[in-house]
Amino acid sequence: MKRRIASWENGHSVPDDFYGPLLCEVYDLSAAELGLNHEGERDTGLLDAGYPGSPEGAIETVGQLWRADLNRYEPLLQAEPSEPAWNEASLRWLVAPEPAVPQQRRDGMRVGLGDVAAIKTTADMFAQLDDRFGGDHARHAAVQYLSTEVTPLLRGQYNEHVGRALFSTVAEATLLAGWMSYDACRHGLAQRYFLQALRLAQDANDRRLAGSILSAMSHQATFLGRYTQGATLARAALMGISPVATPTLRAQFHAMEARALARTGDVRACEAALTAATRALDSRNNDHEPEWISYFDEAELAAEAAHCFRDVNSARQAVAHAENAVSGSHVRSDFFATMVLADAHLRAGDVEEACRVALDALDLGEQLKSARCVSYLAEFRQNLTASGSSADVQTFTEQVREHRLWIAAAPRAAV
């Protein structure tokens, strides 16, 4: 180890993908600030948010993204999402010809289905951590795994059958990296992960997963205030996988459309989309559903409906749905549902109940490292301030003033 450090100090070498991120972590500096060279700085194309034109392009681009993210390439971490990129990716996926076959490679390590299973198991572990502790908890570790362990597999030797399975599994893992980055409010980075995941799913010929990725894009677009784009992406997901869509997937896509429509104020269209989502979910057969969509159940749909009715100012309906949205098995989702319930009570004029429910949400979120959770609290905090300074508000703010998430949600000028 001493020889490695001496070599770095003398400029004879630079830390690799393992040691470089560790040094960034120790010194709390970016790779650029430490003078480390990495692909992100050499390839400004990462900031273009383009949709790869081939499987080989997807492999190259996603590998560069993982590495640049791992090395804290600031232009990428601070990048803004691109609306044209959503349009381009969804259209190119919808009109794509027969999926390209990942070419059999004659160099690199041999890859088999056992390697694919290992990626799946590891990604599932990171998904559980994400759900329980928030996207910022293990995001860096997940990206390090993808960059260090998965990149060589993508560049390895595999036949068509293994290649399709590999691309599908890596697409799912990259979708998770996108969700974790979205939860950390790294929105430009999250969008780029979603785009690469969509291309990998396209080449895997996994249209169901591709539709779910478009649904994730819809979710992000709505969160960022691009409501028309959010509705369009949800409709593209439904249209693009219509022949192979399962009831649960249709329910999710209709729910995403409803979320976007609620924000536009189109109450009738929103309610129609929610009705379609409910009918679809009622007809599901869990034995025929992809394992990765199993989380979307009655509680999840109730949470989506609660968001919708809150956003169209139907506070009582929002309360009714939010009360059915807490599953007890998904920490972050339960936090969001509980905060929507608190906000709905506040909008209905029941300040005392709103404060009680918000206190429950803060208890739920004690372990969460999620910028999105903070944004929900910030909105509630703003609305609570606007409601006046009653005894209930004063008691509540005294109870939570030392809470980590409550402090993080404070207006910047007041920190």
Side-chain angles (χ1 to χ4, degrees):
M1 186 63 197
K2 289 181 179 179
R3 289 182 180 178
R4 286 179 184 268
I5 295 173
S7 178
W8 300 337
E9 289 177 340
N10 293 329
H12 296 150
S13 66
V14 295
D16 59 18
D17 284 354
F18 178 77
Y19 288 105
L22 287 180
L23 290 174
C24 292
E25 191 75 28
V26 168
Y27 291 107
D28 196 25
L29 296 171
S30 69
E33 291 170 322
L34 285 173
L36 306 180
N37 295 320
H38 54 81
E39 291 179 35
E41 290 172 322
R42 295 197 300 269
D43 190 349
T44 56
L46 284 174
L47 303 181
D48 294 338
Y51 191 68
S54 68
E56 292 73 28
I59 292 172
E60 183 66 23
T61 301
V62 79
Q64 290 173 348
L65 274 174
W66 291 334
R67 185 172 180 179
D69 185 2
L70 197 58
N71 284 285
R72 299 185 180 182
Y73 180 45
E74 283 301 315
L76 177 62
L77 295 180
Q78 302 301 326
E80 294 294 326
S82 163
E83 189 161 334
W86 281 320
N87 295 330
E88 179 197 13
S90 58
L91 178 60
R92 288 181 63 180
W93 174 75
L94 279 170
V95 302
E98 287 297 314
V101 178
Q103 292 185 0
Q104 295 189 32
R105 293 170 174 265
R106 292 180 171 81
D107 56 351
M109 62 189 299
R110 291 187 178 276
V111 182
L113 293 178
D115 299 301
V116 176
I119 299 172
K120 171 65 175 171
T121 301
T122 306
D124 287 346
M125 178 197 70
F126 281 119
Q128 291 172 14
L129 293 173
D130 172 53
D131 178 61
R132 185 173 177 183
F133 298 110
D136 251 347
H137 172 72
R139 198 186 76 81
H140 191 267
V143 173
Q144 183 166 29
Y145 170 76
L146 291 170
S147 180
T148 305
E149 302 295 332
V150 176
T151 297
L153 297 176
L154 286 173
R155 295 172 177 167
Q157 300 181 55
Y158 41 80
N159 59 32
E160 179 181 343
H161 176 62
V162 172
R164 293 225 189 274
L166 177 65
F167 273 43
S168 179
T169 302
V170 176
E172 189 179 344
T174 305
L175 171 60
L176 173 62
W179 274 114
M180 296 173 90
S181 301
Y182 169 22
D183 198 48
C185 287
R186 302 283 190 183
H187 288 296
L189 176 61
Q191 183 193 49
R192 284 154 179 80
Y193 279 138
F194 290 150
L195 294 174
Q196 303 313 313
L198 182 64
R199 176 69 217 211
L200 291 167
Q202 174 185 323
D203 294 323
N205 198 23
D206 192 338
R207 295 196 70 79
R208 289 174 175 175
L209 179 58
S212 188
I213 295 165
L214 284 175
S215 180
M217 293 181 185
S218 170
H219 197 292
Q220 184 191 31
T222 297
F223 182 82
L224 293 173
R226 274 78 160 202
Y227 308 131
T228 300
Q229 187 68 58
T232 300
L233 286 164
R235 291 166 183 154
L238 188 60
M239 177 187 300
I241 74 163
S242 183
V244 295
T246 65
T248 303
L249 284 169
R250 288 200 303 272
Q252 185 194 55
F253 302 161
H254 283 303
M256 291 303 99
E257 181 185 10
R259 284 281 295 271
L261 291 170
R263 287 290 193 171
T264 68
D266 192 339
V267 179
R268 181 177 296 179
C270 171
E271 290 181 342
L274 284 176
T275 298
T278 301
R279 287 175 178 166
L281 196 64
D282 286 344
S283 68
R284 77 187 185 282
N285 181 338
N286 288 332
D287 292 337
H288 299 155
E289 299 286 347
E291 176 271 332
W292 41 261
I293 196 62
S294 61
Y295 77 93
F296 196 86
D297 54 14
E298 287 81 3
E300 283 288 327
L301 182 55
E304 302 299 346
H307 278 86
C308 292
F309 287 115
R310 179 201 62 178
D311 293 339
V312 298
N313 294 315
S314 296
R316 293 301 179 190
Q317 285 181 282
V319 167
H321 285 282
E323 286 177 340
N324 294 321
V326 178
S327 66
S329 57
H330 301 290
V331 176
R332 184 178 48 207
S333 294
D334 286 351
F335 173 89
F336 289 142
T338 307
M339 281 309 308
V340 170
L341 178 58
D343 202 40
H345 278 302
L346 190 60
R347 296 184 187 205
D350 193 344
V351 176
E352 180 181 4
E353 186 63 10
C355 290
R356 186 193 67 77
V357 173
L359 193 59
D360 289 342
L362 282 164
D363 289 339
L364 270 174
E366 181 64 36
Q367 301 179 86
L368 289 170
K369 295 179 67 177
S370 162
R372 271 200 302 154
C373 290
V374 172
S375 73
Y376 273 60
L377 270 173
E379 183 177 8
F380 176 80
R381 185 168 182 155
Q382 182 179 2
N383 293 339
L384 187 65
T385 299
S387 72
S389 184
S390 66
D392 291 323
V393 172
Q394 292 177 18
T395 299
F396 171 75
T397 52
E398 180 62 27
Q399 288 175 307
V400 302
R401 65 186 179 89
E402 299 296 332
H403 197 287
R404 177 182 59 85
L405 288 178
W406 187 255
I407 294 170
R412 290 189 179 276
V415 174

